[in-house]
Amino acid sequence: MGTFVVCKITNKHRNEATNFKILLFFALLKKLKSMIWNESYECMGREEMREVQNKRLRTTVEHVYHNSPFYRAKMQELGITPMDIETIDDLVKLPFTIKTDLRDQYPFGLFSVPMSEIVRLHASSGTTGKPIVAGYTRKDLSTWSEVLARTFTSGGCSRNDIFQIAYGYGLFTGGLGAHYGAENIGASVIPISAGNTEKQIQLMTDFGSTALCCTPSYALYLGEAVEDKGVKDKLKLKVGFFGAEPWTEAMRFEIEKKLNIKAYDIFGLTEVIGPGVSYECNAQKGMHINEDHFLPEIINPVTLEPVAPGEVGELVLTTITKEGMPVIRYRTKDLTRLMYEPCSCGRTSVRMHKIMGRSDDMLIIRGVNVFPTQIESVLMEFGETAPHYHLYVDRENNTDTFDVHVEVRPENFTDDMSSMLNLRKRIEARIQSVVGIHAHVKLVEPRSIERSTGKAQRVTDKRNLYKE
């Protein structure tokens, strides 16, 4: 009888444990579903997605061929008509588009609808020439709000959140793009724009902002300012969406620590739509591409041929739903790779790895290819240095010089020359090991490197190698 009672209790406990696991599973499933904005597309089967892409690609090619003299001429040069494009496998037959093409067609030469249908104009900064102009129809703006709604929902945001948009407004796509995406999910929006750090912190604490949108370098700067003011415990921030410039995992850790948030990477560019091309989910194992709107390819930037699946190369994007200014096979110059494995978040869309660098930002120093992100990764390995640095490249007596200025954290900055010398030598040795060339490292005082409220300028190349 005693044995029977023990078995009965044990079975009861087992049943309770099983029921608890089932409830936990469904609770987790419900939570994951609440972080998906548009399940029908974000979780669509691969074959069904391919059919959607095939149809939309054919429609886009037909649209640009008949409405864009630029693309019609490019296709005719290659002997291609819309009839030659049946599936996404035929994408390789189409011509590439590069940034120079967009500048040559300044201002409206790439628009594929009459100006009367363009309801919004954005443009890049144009610091290296004529700005890149982007035109949007009403449908394009709706698409833009849709992909950013997916982005923000993936980070756990909803109508109950208060977004502080600290991207620049105006011609830059970041501010207004994030603004309407947040409104699309029903969230409250503070359109503060970039800069004015004192006001940022005031509104962040007074209004109870829960989500922050800005560049990662400015998020780090805000984090420092919050620490200086001692108001970290007054913040209600829980999440941040950061893009417009490359950043490392180590920088993510710094931002999350300083602002006590979860930091998500988002990707986009003016030429394609703005922010919202791809975004991280809660798994943070790459950025999901909204591939029902943007077709990704990875090519070798030298041969222009597709690379093997999973290999690193240059990201090429084709818009398949845009009306105002569709782009065909736009070479982004961003280096990444694609991942088609299933994601634990439940989405089936292809993911792109965090941007590893840019083929046109690559520095060739003494014959060696060097990316600023490589140097940043090295610097962030050292606990004594802060995530603020600047690279200086020059040429003396026909030989390249390479200097790295990096801030030392306040608690590690000292007059002890031997310890500073030891730190400098360790960093120089690590850079030599990673990139293959020697860099002269200069350890500088905390807060001595200029901060940026927008995209951080990390490199000064005085060699004028590409001077026209």
Side-chain angles (χ1 to χ4, degrees), residues 61-62 65 75-76 78-86 94:
V61 171
E62 188 83 29
Y65 188 82
M75 290 174 65
Q76 288 176 346
L78 297 175
I80 299 170
T81 70
M83 296 293 290
D84 297 306
I85 309 301
E86 296 181 1
L94 292 167

Side-chain angles (χ1 to χ4, degrees), residues 21 76 104 108 140-141 145 151 207 210 223 233 250 253 259 264 274 335 363 370 377 394 409 435 437 439:
K21 288 179 181 179
Q76 288 176 346
D104 289 345
F108 307 140
D140 293 336
L141 292 180
S145 294
T151 300
F207 290 6
T210 58
D233 60 337
F253 175 78
L259 291 173
Y264 289 93
L335 300 178
L363 296 165
V370 178
S377 295
D394 206 343
R409 295 182 184 276
V435 302
I437 61 170

